[in-house]
Amino acid sequence: MSTCYIPKTVEELGGALGHLTEDSLILAGGTDLVLHLRAEHLQPDVLLSLCGVPQLRIIEITSEQASIGAMATMAEIHKAMDGLPDLQALADAAGGVGSPQIRNKGTIGGNAANASAAADLPPVLWLLNAQAEIMGPGGVRRTISVQELADGHQGNTLALGEVVLRFLIDRTAFTGWRSAFVKLGHRSQVTISRIGMAMALLQAADGTIQDARVVAGAIKPVPFPLPAAEAILRGKRPDPGLAVELGETFKGNTRRVYKENAAKGVFQDTLLRFQP
Ligand SMILES: Cc1cc2nc3c(=O)[nH]c(=O)nc-3n(C[C@H](O)[C@H](O)[C@H](O)COP(=O)(O)OP(=O)(O)OC[C@H]3O[C@@H](n4cnc5c(N)ncnc54)[C@H](O)[C@@H]3O)c2cc1C
C-alpha cells in the first residue's frame, strides 16, 4: 500500500522529499502521470502530491523577471503572459496545449520534468534562457538552466527526491524583444506537436530584425537552437517569403522528409506573427 504525502508549504515539501525512494512518484496535475499509473499498473511506495502547496502556483511578473511556479497551470500561464511581447511565446505554447481540461490541470513543472520530445513548453523555456529552481530533501536548493534540466533522452536530470519549484526568466535580457510559438500537429486542436517553433526577434521601428533567436522542438529528443536561421533573419524584415530559405536550415536535423518541407510552412506562420 502506498503512503501519500500532501505537504501544505514549501518547508513541509522539503521534509517530505526525504521520504522518497526509487519506487516513489511525484504528482503534479496528473495529466501525464495518471495515464502511466493506469497503463503500467504502477504501485509506488510513496506518492507525493505537489497540489497542496499554494506557493508553487504563484506567477510573479516584474519588469526585470518572470517567476513561474512549477504548479502553475497552462491556463494560468496563458492568462498571465498573453499580450506581454517578450513572453508571448510562453502564452502561445501554454494556450495551445491539449484541451481546456488539460490546460486547467497540466502544469509547467510536469511539462518540463516529463521531458517528452513533443512537449510544447521546453522549446520556449530554452528560447527565453529560463532557469529552473530545484529543491531536494531537507529543502536544499539549487538553480540550473532548463538546458541542464533535460537529460537528452526524454528524461530529466533531477536527482532522487528533487522537484522543480519554479522557473525564472530574466526579462532584462529581452527588453524590446517580441516572441512567438507556433506548432504543427496532425489536427488543429488537442494535438501533439510534430514541429514546435519558438522565435524571438528584436526589431527596429521599421521592422528590420536586429537580433534573432530560434529554437525548434518536437524534432529531436530535446529542443535545439537554429543559429543558421537566426543568421538569415538578422538585417532583414520578417517577410514570410524568407520561409523557404529558413526551411533549408532544417536539413540534417530530421530524418523525416515531411518535417523538412513542413518546416517552411511553420516558419511562414511564425514570421507572420512579427509583422508590424
Ligand atoms: C489529451 C492530452 C493532450 C495533451 N496535449 C499536450 C500538448 O498539446 N502539448 C504538451 O506539451 N503536452 C500535452 N499533453 C501532456 C501533458 O498534459 C503535459 O505534459 C502537462 O504539462 C503535464 O503536467 P502535469 O502537471 O499534468 O504533470 P504530471 O502528469 O503530474 O507529471 C508528469 C511527470 O513530471 C513529474 N513532475 C511533475 N511536476 C514536477 C516538479 N515540479 N518537479 C519534478 N518533477 C515533476 C512527475 O513526477 C511525472 O513524472 C497532453 C496530455 C493529454 C492527456
Side-chain angles (χ1 to χ4, degrees), residues 63-136:
S63 52
E64 273 92 44
Q65 178 177 269
S67 166
I68 309 153
M71 286 297 288
T73 65
M74 299 297 166
E76 290 164 344
I77 291 166
H78 178 260
K79 192 170 168 212
M81 312 276 167
D82 197 24
L84 298 177
D86 52 331
L87 302 174
Q88 185 62 46
L90 210 40
D92 296 343
V97 167
S99 59
Q101 292 90 336
I102 297 291
R103 291 196 286 277
N104 283 334
K105 291 299 287 177
T107 65
I108 186 170
N111 197 258
N114 200 41
S116 154
D120 287 325
L121 270 57
V124 180
L125 292 170
W126 283 47
L127 180 84
L128 299 174
N129 273 335
Q131 303 276 309
E133 190 185 353
I134 290 163
M135 189 168 79

Side-chain angles (χ1 to χ4, degrees), residues 142-209:
R142 64 190 179 102
T143 301
I144 59 172
S145 68
V146 282
Q147 287 84 350
E148 291 170 282
L149 183 60
D151 73 357
H153 307 283
Q154 301 201 55
N156 66 53
T157 56
L158 296 173
L160 177 63
E162 283 190 327
V163 290
V164 179
L165 291 181
R166 60 177 178 155
F167 296 90
L168 296 161
I169 295 167
D170 175 11
R171 294 188 77 197
T172 63
F174 293 97
T175 306
W177 289 69
R178 294 162 70 194
S179 73
F181 175 82
V182 170
K183 82 176 186 181
L184 173 79
H186 67 286
R187 56 187 180 198
S188 61
Q189 300 286 320
V190 198
T191 191
I192 299 300
S193 283
R194 299 294 192 255
I195 298 176
M197 190 71 72
M199 187 181 284
L201 301 182
L202 180 66
Q203 293 172 271
D206 69 353
T208 305
I209 297 164

Side-chain angles (χ1 to χ4, degrees), residues 26-101:
I26 296 166
L27 176 73
T31 60
D32 278 319
L33 189 72
V34 171
L35 298 183
H36 287 293
L37 268 171
R38 288 193 181 143
E40 294 157 38
H41 305 289
L42 299 177
Q43 301 228 312
D45 58 350
V46 173
L47 185 67
L48 171 61
S49 168
L50 304 178
C51 303
V53 187
Q55 283 124 298
L56 297 185
R57 271 186 99 134
I58 294 173
I59 299 175
E60 224 167 24
I61 303 172
T62 67
S63 52
E64 273 92 44
Q65 178 177 269
S67 166
I68 309 153
M71 286 297 288
T73 65
M74 299 297 166
E76 290 164 344
I77 291 166
H78 178 260
K79 192 170 168 212
M81 312 276 167
D82 197 24
L84 298 177
D86 52 331
L87 302 174
Q88 185 62 46
L90 210 40
D92 296 343
V97 167
S99 59
Q101 292 90 336

Side-chain angles (χ1 to χ4, degrees), residues 8 43 50 67 69 83 85 89 107 202 222 225 234 239 246 262 270 274:
K8 298 279 180 283
Q43 301 228 312
L50 304 178
S67 166
T107 65
L202 180 66
V222 289
R234 287 188 194 107
D239 174 2
L246 289 169
T270 312
F274 293 93

